[in-house]
Amino acid sequence: MLTPEFRLEQTAAYVIVHIKAPYVKASNVDWYLDAHQFKFFVKPYFLRLTFEAELVEDGRESAQYDIESGWFKVQLPKAVAGTEFTDLDLHTKLLARTPQARAQLPPSIEVVSSTQDEDDHEGMPDNGYEWEVEQTLPEPSLLASSTSYGFNSKYSNCLSNLQHNGSAELTMLADPDKASYTERLATRLATEHAGFDEDYYLAELFDTEDAILPLLRETTSSQPSADDDTATTLSAASSWRCYSRACSQQACYSSVCRYNRIDWTLTPAQQQQLASLPKRELLVERAATSGLMLTALDLLLAYHHEMRVCGGDLTPESSTTIAKVSSTLSVLLPFLSLEDVVLAFCRRSLCFSLHRHWLLTMMAVVDVIEVLRKGRRAVLAAFLSMRSLFMRDEARAILADIYLTDYCVWLQTCPVEAFDSLAMALAAFRISKDEVDLNLPSYDLMKAAILAQENEGVEDNDSDDSDDTGDSDDD
């Protein structure tokens, strides 16, 4: 059976379902309404939608069919008029399993889209998410033997064969299917030390005005300085306006600009992408939610940094750069703390990106903070864009399958509090150039010394020219 294209809207009294089913006979349509569920069937189409709020079959329900356009319009009465039905644009969530099927799951597993009682979070700090305190590592024997990866570490034996047979740059691991956590961490650090190019970084410092500032923002009072640290940059985030001449209001590439100017909703194209995702719920243990959000943060940072570098116009090489900057995709590394995520991103963005500048790295962090504050749909839109990008990259499409597709499904049901909590923790986090351990302050001093030497040379030349002019006048 085929899942038809559909969209939903609502009024105070009805939920209205628009279903595209061309070239069918209206007399052959069967549809069913029962409390939280709506079913629609006409060969070869079948649609089942599950709502959190309640509907009622009381004689007010109706259906119309436009033969020319092939669209059905079905009006479903709300059990309580005025009830707000949420997430009608999150199609994968609506297409997920029924509440009865959820009830049959083992009690030790959490269905992430199910409604949770407040008691479920008893004893957990704040909103139930701890970003600042590093989580406890598994026992060394378990850690050494763990070779799984992907969303919630549920995949294994998927990558080595591909990497050894035509996709040599799929990951930076020698044998991804056999690499333990310790080996992945060691590979990450080794590739960062080998990948940092001193001359490249210094050249970017000298090219700040021409190449970097057009990709950043300026405050209403002054332009950002190359000497700005995280604290200065992030504290000014709320007052930043678009710096680039390429800004085109709602179409501006920058997340801070774009998401502050529009009332965010998913586009029809994005809703179609959601409808095409696997029709399943992902079962996640409660303790794993923080780890999943930290991995999502790593992916968001790499993606928005590339958006900055490319001015919003991603290229065919963008998937390669994102995969290298993200520790999740390059070495399959899970994260244990917020500090680990930000530190790894800062180092890798200064090693593998086209533009390697501290300010650009910090502005990507600002972008992600704003995206997280905007909530589920803004984060989901970024993951849908990432997924489309990687699906077009034949060599790295497998990374979309084991990470991004599942994230696009899970984010639709991830608790809203997780986004708010992570945004607050990231905005409060501070990191300096010294902590990155790439000797960055020395390059700032080197730049200052070179500029000072050049200025002295200019002054000496001016002085010599002045002396020559005086001598000529005496003659």
Side-chain angles (χ1 to χ4, degrees):
M1 304 300 290
L2 302 177
T3 300
E5 180 183 347
F6 68 96
R7 65 178 187 272
L8 297 97
E9 57 183 321
Q10 62 180 310
T11 64
Y14 294 94
V15 172
I16 303 172
V17 186
H18 300 272
I19 305 169
K20 188 171 185 179
Y23 315 118
V24 301
K25 290 184 178 181
S27 58
N28 293 337
V29 173
D30 289 324
W31 57 283
Y32 166 83
L33 176 61
D34 181 24
H36 296 275
Q37 194 169 89
F38 165 72
K39 295 180 181 179
F40 174 93
F41 171 72
V42 58
K43 288 185 177 180
Y45 301 106
F46 176 74
L47 179 65
R48 182 188 63 209
L49 303 176
T50 303
F51 302 93
E52 293 184 357
E54 190 172 348
L55 300 166
V56 63
E57 187 174 8
D58 60 2
R60 291 181 294 150
E61 61 276 3
S62 64
Q64 300 174 349
Y65 183 50
D66 187 334
I67 298 177
E68 293 185 1
S69 65
W71 283 90
F72 283 89
K73 179 181 178 182
V74 185
Q75 295 193 102
L76 309 176
K78 296 181 178 180
V80 178
T83 301
E84 182 71 17
F85 279 58
T86 59
D87 299 338
L88 294 183
D89 55 344
L90 302 182
H91 289 180
T92 312
K93 181 178 180 180
L94 296 173
L95 293 167
R97 67 176 69 222
T98 64
Q100 290 79 6
R102 296 172 188 162
Q104 298 175 5
L105 294 170
S108 60
I109 300 296
E110 176 190 16
V111 181
V112 294
S113 66
S114 297
T115 303
Q116 298 179 0
D117 296 331
E118 293 181 0
D119 294 340
D120 290 342
H121 300 290
E122 185 176 354
M124 299 182 73
D126 299 325
N127 293 321
Y129 308 101
E130 186 57 71
W131 314 111
E132 298 297 337
V133 178
E134 188 167 310
Q135 303 173 60
T136 304
L137 284 170
E139 293 295 327
S141 59
L142 297 176
L143 193 63
S145 61
S146 176
T147 57
S148 58
Y149 43 75
F151 178 85
N152 203 26
S153 298
K154 69 175 188 175
Y155 295 92
S156 60
N157 300 319
C158 300
L159 300 178
S160 289
N161 187 49
L162 289 173
Q163 185 164 306
H164 297 156
N165 293 278
S167 300
E169 296 185 357
L170 180 59
T171 72
M172 293 184 175
L173 298 167
D175 193 346
D177 288 342
K178 296 182 180 179
S180 66
Y181 173 86
T182 305
E183 292 170 331
R184 296 174 194 179
L185 180 59
T187 301
R188 196 211 93 192
L189 295 174
T191 55
E192 289 164 2
H193 282 295
F196 184 71
D197 188 323
E198 300 177 355
D199 294 334
Y200 199 126
Y201 182 78
L202 189 59
E204 292 284 273
L205 284 181
F206 280 97
D207 208 18
T208 299
E209 296 290 334
D210 295 331
I212 304 302
L213 286 185
L215 302 174
L216 300 177
R217 306 188 165 278
E218 62 176 353
T219 62
T220 54
S221 57
S222 62
Q223 293 184 2
S225 166
D227 297 325
D228 281 346
D229 240 341
T230 312
T232 305
T233 305
L234 298 187
S235 64
S238 60
S239 63
W240 287 60
R241 62 179 173 84
C242 198
Y243 178 77
S244 174
R245 293 180 180 178
C247 178
S248 53
Q249 302 298 317
Q250 293 187 6
C252 183
Y253 64 84
S254 172
S255 305
V256 177
C257 187
R258 182 169 68 251
Y259 293 150
N260 275 338
R261 283 180 168 152
I262 64 175
D263 181 16
W264 182 257
T265 56
L266 293 174
T267 66
Q270 291 167 335
Q271 292 179 20
Q272 289 183 17
Q273 290 184 60
L274 293 179
S276 68
L277 294 174
K279 313 301 186 294
R280 64 179 180 231
E281 278 192 310
L282 295 170
L283 309 183
V284 176
E285 295 179 0
R286 290 183 178 89
T289 302
S290 295
L292 288 174
M293 288 300 294
L294 290 175
T295 299
L297 175 60
D298 174 63
L299 294 167
L300 287 171
L301 288 168
Y303 170 76
H304 283 91
H305 187 272
E306 180 66 6
M307 287 287 284
R308 282 283 189 178
V309 170
C310 295
D313 187 14
L314 297 179
T315 71
E317 294 298 320
S318 291
S319 58
T320 300
T321 304
I322 293 172
K324 289 182 177 180
V325 172
S326 167
S327 300
T328 300
L329 301 180
S330 59
V331 293
L332 313 178
L333 188 68
F335 287 99
L336 305 176
S337 70
L338 179 68
E339 180 182 3
D340 288 344
V341 179
V342 178
L343 180 60
F345 163 69
C346 289
R347 289 168 60 90
R348 300 188 75 82
S349 65
L350 297 173
C351 293
F352 302 111
S353 182
L354 175 63
H355 288 302
R356 307 172 189 180
H357 198 286
W358 180 254
L359 266 181
L360 198 58
T361 295
M362 290 298 99
M363 282 298 95
V365 176
V366 173
D367 282 351
V368 172
I369 291 172
E370 199 65 27
V371 170
L372 289 169
R373 285 173 175 167
K374 290 300 177 183
R376 187 198 314 278
R377 284 163 181 78
V379 174
L380 184 56
F383 270 86
L384 288 171
S385 175
M386 265 191 286
R387 180 177 179 270
S388 296
L389 181 67
F390 276 82
M391 291 297 287
R392 293 193 297 268
D393 184 345
E394 184 177 352
R396 292 181 172 80
I398 184 66
L399 296 177
D401 292 335
I402 65 176
Y403 281 106
L404 303 176
T405 296
D406 286 344
Y407 264 105
C408 288
V409 173
W410 179 69
L411 286 169
Q412 297 178 64
T413 53
C414 178
V416 175
E417 295 80 7
F419 303 104
D420 297 333
S421 176
L422 185 55
M424 292 175 60
L426 184 59
F429 185 77
R430 295 293 180 265
I431 188 170
S432 66
K433 294 180 180 180
D434 289 323
E435 294 175 272
V436 177
D437 194 26
L438 292 176
N439 202 25
L440 300 184
S442 68
Y443 300 106
D444 294 331
L445 295 175
M446 191 181 303
K447 175 187 175 181
I450 292 173
L451 292 178
Q453 186 176 2
E454 291 178 351
N455 289 335
E456 289 178 1
V458 170
E459 292 175 359
D460 290 342
N461 290 335
D462 290 342
S463 177
D464 291 341
D465 291 342
S466 178
D467 291 341
D468 293 341
T469 302
D471 293 342
S472 298
D473 292 340
D474 292 338
D475 292 342

